[in-house]
Amino acid sequence: MSHATDRTTSSPPRAGSSAPGRARSVTLAVVLTAELMNALDGSVVYTALPSIAADTGATAAALQWIDAAYVLTFALGLITGGRLGDRYGRRRIFLAGTAFFTLSSLLCGIASGPDLLIAARVLQGAAAAVMVPQVLATLHITYDEGSRAKAFGLYGTVMSLGSVIGPVLGGVLNQADLFGLGWRPIFLINLPIGIAAVILGRHFLPESHDRTTRLDPLGMFLSALGLLLITLPLTMGGERDWPIWMFATMAVGLLVLTVFLVQQKSKMRKDGSPMVVLSLFTGRAFSAGLATQLAFGLLSGIFFLSWVMFMQNGLGLTPGQAAVGFVAASLGEMGGAWLAMSLVARYGRAVPQAGALLAAASLCGYHHLVTAQGSGMRTVLAAAPMLAVGFGLGMIGAPLADLTLGRVAHRHAGSASGLFNTATQLGVALGTALTTVVFFTHISADTRGPAVSTAFADSLWYVVGTLITMWALMLLLPKRTHTD
């Protein structure tokens, strides 16, 4: 579909226009670096929280909010961030979001107490919500149909790897105690990366926008309020034993989102410029892809938290020893992503479907190992299955964005990207909440050894069931990523 039909205007990179191939490669590197910063910062604090508590005097509740403040703010702003890019220019909004993210990372790194750190994390999450939707949108308008699969595949790989590598990087930087700064480098490392992304982005990122798009303040408010009323209880419910008011809050959140949908339909009839383009959901691939991405986030929320608890509390491994499992998962994901990117153009949805079956079968085998070996399992045996699990997950994550968004019109790229990322965050929040039910209810806070191993083994069946559900949902994705 042409840009004229999409009512979208684009301008070439300011520099590098004489070498479009090189400029496009730099564009890819810049936006993927931004996505990696976001993926890392969503999980890098996990292994540094004890040091943060010791240094700042943060309470257990404050530590939880240091993590939740970022996740919640990020999830709430993604849809708005995507639409801002559509209206004011994806390059312009990306650069503003990246600069703000870099500045807020500095504030995190120099925070003198937990309150200031939480406030800085709120700003960091808001900046990420502006920055991240422009990544997929920029890739969508920069790459043509034939080469988009590889770019989207790299995006899916970076997004998956970042969440896995984050805890390892946090542990390494925290233990290294660079310049005597303790935990602070986990945030300060973003400074040189973010500055480089802004400088290169100014020269190489193409600009694109849809001038016909108008802002929708009421839609922004309703979408953020509805998502907040749903995600906040999901994030905090487990720590408070799920009081009844939290379920009531989520019910109100669903009601608010229903009002939001009605308002969006009215906005579409009024001026044709809704915040969420509801017509996107008439596309079978888009709806199925979003549902699959939601399930993928849910799977990640359940599995990785339970797995960390199993490795450290169940097997008694140190964070360094447990990192071997993360390395195995990362290597597997990279291998699966590479294979998926080379096959998806020809085999389409069959590639991530094969990955789902491989991951499910590998986890069934892992379940057998855990039940047979129990808390006496050695590090290598506990980590080795993650090569196959990671390989399968890489085959899912790499092509899913392309299969979901590949046929979206350019003028709706920002809106579609925001929805895709929101599905991920809602899935992770839901998966983390379900971890309380499928894992933590079977152990006490100080339990180690066999009880943790048993709880982890039982939780694997929920993950396997989610993978089978994803396989079924992917039957609605395109058989090919582009038409011949």
Side-chain angles (χ1 to χ4, degrees):
M1 187 173 292
S2 69
H3 286 252
T5 303
D6 290 337
R7 298 180 297 176
T8 304
T9 59
S10 309
S11 59
R14 292 186 176 183
S17 56
S18 60
R22 182 170 67 91
R24 196 168 63 170
S25 297
V26 176
T27 294
L28 179 64
V30 169
V31 295
L32 290 185
T33 297
E35 171 57 35
L36 181 60
M37 285 196 299
N38 161 66
L40 289 174
D41 275 67
S43 59
V44 73
V45 298
Y46 292 163
T47 46
L49 289 176
S51 297
I52 293 174
D55 184 42
T56 66
T59 63
L63 290 178
Q64 185 176 16
W65 274 107
I66 289 171
D67 176 41
Y70 181 89
V71 175
L72 283 173
T73 313
F74 178 54
L76 298 182
L78 281 166
I79 297 176
T80 297
R83 214 50 177 159
L84 287 173
D86 288 342
R87 175 65 180 87
Y88 294 109
R90 288 134 195 162
R91 172 182 173 274
R92 177 186 298 177
I93 297 300
F94 173 84
L95 293 175
T98 305
F100 191 29
F101 185 89
T102 305
L103 177 60
S104 57
S105 296
L106 173 61
L107 296 177
C108 288
I110 63 175
S112 58
D115 292 341
L116 292 176
L117 180 54
I118 292 170
R121 287 285 278 174
V122 169
L123 296 177
Q124 196 181 35
V130 173
M131 173 181 70
V132 169
Q134 317 317 321
V135 175
L136 271 177
T138 298
L139 296 180
H140 188 71
I141 60 97
T142 301
Y143 287 83
D144 56 29
E145 199 172 27
S147 58
R148 192 180 296 145
K150 181 178 180 180
F152 275 12
L154 289 171
Y155 168 86
T157 304
V158 167
M159 186 171 64
S160 299
L161 283 177
S163 60
V164 176
I165 296 173
V168 179
L169 179 64
V172 170
L173 291 176
N174 184 55
Q175 189 171 353
D177 192 21
L178 298 175
F179 309 107
L181 294 174
W183 54 271
R184 299 178 187 277
I186 67 173
F187 299 114
L188 297 177
I189 194 175
N190 288 332
L191 268 64
I193 299 174
I195 292 171
V198 171
I199 293 174
L200 291 173
R202 282 178 56 84
H203 288 278
F204 289 96
L205 261 62
E207 182 61 285
S208 63
H209 44 66
D210 178 12
R211 291 301 191 192
T212 64
T213 300
R214 301 178 183 178
L215 292 185
D216 180 11
L218 179 58
M220 292 177 182
F221 171 75
L222 290 174
S223 65
L225 178 61
L227 291 172
L228 176 63
L229 293 174
I230 293 173
T231 55
L232 184 60
L234 288 175
T235 303
M236 311 299 294
E239 294 293 320
R240 289 165 171 74
D241 296 324
W242 294 103
I244 189 65
W245 66 265
M246 287 197 168
F247 292 99
T249 300
M250 286 189 284
V252 174
L254 291 174
L255 179 61
V256 172
L257 289 182
T258 301
V259 173
F260 168 68
L261 292 178
V262 174
Q263 184 265 341
Q264 290 295 283
K265 290 182 180 179
S266 175
K267 179 73 171 172
M268 183 67 186
R269 289 192 300 268
K270 181 179 179 181
D271 59 18
S273 185
M275 182 177 172
V276 171
V277 183
L278 297 179
S279 61
L280 288 171
F281 292 94
T282 61
R284 189 177 72 174
F286 184 79
S287 297
L290 245 61
T292 305
Q293 188 67 12
L294 179 71
F296 201 14
L298 186 151
L299 175 156
S300 300
I302 292 178
F303 177 72
F304 285 107
L305 180 56
S306 301
W307 181 46
V308 169
M309 293 294 296
F310 165 68
M311 295 283 280
Q312 296 192 30
N313 287 25
L315 302 184
L317 302 180
T318 66
Q321 292 172 322
V324 175
F326 283 101
V327 172
S330 300
L331 292 174
E333 285 204 29
M334 286 189 287
W338 176 83
L339 180 64
M341 287 188 291
S342 64
L343 296 178
V344 69
R346 181 176 181 182
Y347 296 105
R349 69 191 183 202
V351 176
Q353 283 185 304
L357 294 179
L358 174 60
S362 301
L363 288 174
C364 288
Y366 204 0
H367 179 275
H368 175 73
L369 282 175
V370 174
T371 53
Q373 299 286 330
S375 57
M377 184 183 296
R378 295 185 177 181
T379 305
V380 174
L381 191 59
M386 291 308 299
L387 279 170
V389 174
F391 198 93
L393 296 181
M395 290 178 66
I396 299 171
L400 193 53
D402 187 34
L403 291 168
T404 303
L405 305 177
R407 299 179 181 180
V408 171
H410 285 183
R411 68 182 184 274
H412 299 321
S415 179
S417 175
L419 288 168
F420 186 81
N421 285 286
T422 299
T424 306
Q425 295 306 309
L426 285 177
V428 171
L430 181 58
T432 303
L434 289 176
T435 304
T436 303
V437 178
V438 305
F439 182 79
F440 286 105
T441 55
H442 302 288
I443 62 174
S444 60
D446 58 351
T447 297
R448 293 179 177 271
V452 176
S453 299
T454 300
F456 173 68
D458 291 342
S459 72
L460 289 179
W461 294 125
Y462 293 91
V463 181
V464 171
T466 303
L467 285 164
I468 299 303
T469 301
M470 290 171 62
W471 178 89
L473 287 170
M474 286 187 282
L475 288 171
L476 301 176
L477 294 176
K479 292 182 180 180
R480 301 286 187 275
T481 59
H482 61 276
T483 55
D484 298 326

